[in-house]
């Protein structure tokens, strides 16, 4: 009974991650599509987006496993603290006044690294 429950839980987790990554790529596509780009750029951006949506979660999982082996039981607290810092930084930037820097859709490396990190 517990074995089936664990498999269902893992399947649900994978589906949630797939939907989140799909929505992330969709929102990126909407933003870039509103800019108006050529078909060749669409194909190039789509290919790089697909590669980053495969590679970055894998790197993150391996890094998480490695950090977990280093930190042991403290890993949960370290990950929670990192998420709190990241969320606080996002909130502060949302209320900060000043010039906003736009990203050129043609600089693929900067665009996808910023989206994946």
């Amino acid at each position: 009974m517990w074995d089936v429950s664990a498999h269902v839980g893992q399947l649900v987790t994978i589906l949630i991650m797939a939907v989140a990554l799909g929505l992330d790529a969709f929102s990126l596509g909407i933003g870039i599509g509103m800019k108006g780009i050529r078909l060749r750029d669409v194909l190039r951006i789509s290919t790089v987006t697909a590669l980053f949506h495969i590679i970055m979660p894998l790197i993150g999982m391996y890094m998480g496993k490695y950090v977990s082996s280093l930190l042991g039981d403290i890993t949960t607290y370290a990950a929670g603290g990192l998420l709190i810092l990241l969320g606080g930084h996002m909130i502060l930037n949302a209320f900060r006044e000043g010039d906003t820097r736009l990203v050129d859709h043609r600089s693929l490396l900067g665009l996808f690294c910023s989206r994946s990190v």
Side-chain angles (χ1 to χ4, degrees):
M1 179 65 181
W2 292 109
D3 191 40
V4 173
S5 172
H7 288 299
V8 170
Q10 289 176 353
L11 181 63
V12 169
T13 301
I14 291 171
L15 288 174
I16 289 171
M17 282 182 60
V19 168
L21 288 172
L23 289 173
D24 181 51
F26 182 69
S27 67
L28 179 68
I30 288 174
I32 293 173
M34 289 173 61
K35 176 93 171 153
I37 59 175
R38 295 176 295 180
L39 181 61
R40 184 181 60 161
D41 290 333
V42 169
L43 294 174
R44 189 171 54 180
I45 290 171
S46 297
T47 302
V48 173
T49 301
L51 288 174
F52 270 75
H53 275 84
I54 292 169
I55 293 170
M56 288 300 190
L58 291 175
I59 291 172
M61 285 186 267
Y62 285 117
M63 285 180 64
K65 188 174 182 178
Y66 175 71
V67 171
S68 177
S69 70
L70 289 177
L71 297 179
D73 295 334
I74 302 172
T75 305
T76 303
Y77 298 114
L82 184 62
L83 287 174
I84 288 171
L85 287 174
L86 182 62
H89 183 264
M90 291 173 68
I91 290 170
L92 286 175
N93 282 338
F95 291 112
R96 185 176 293 165
E97 291 184 17
D99 294 334
T100 57
R101 290 177 275 167
L102 297 176
V103 177
D104 183 15
H105 71 276
R106 290 180 207 96
S107 81
L108 291 177
L109 183 61
L111 176 66
F112 292 111
C113 283
S114 68
R115 294 288 296 165
S116 297
V117 174

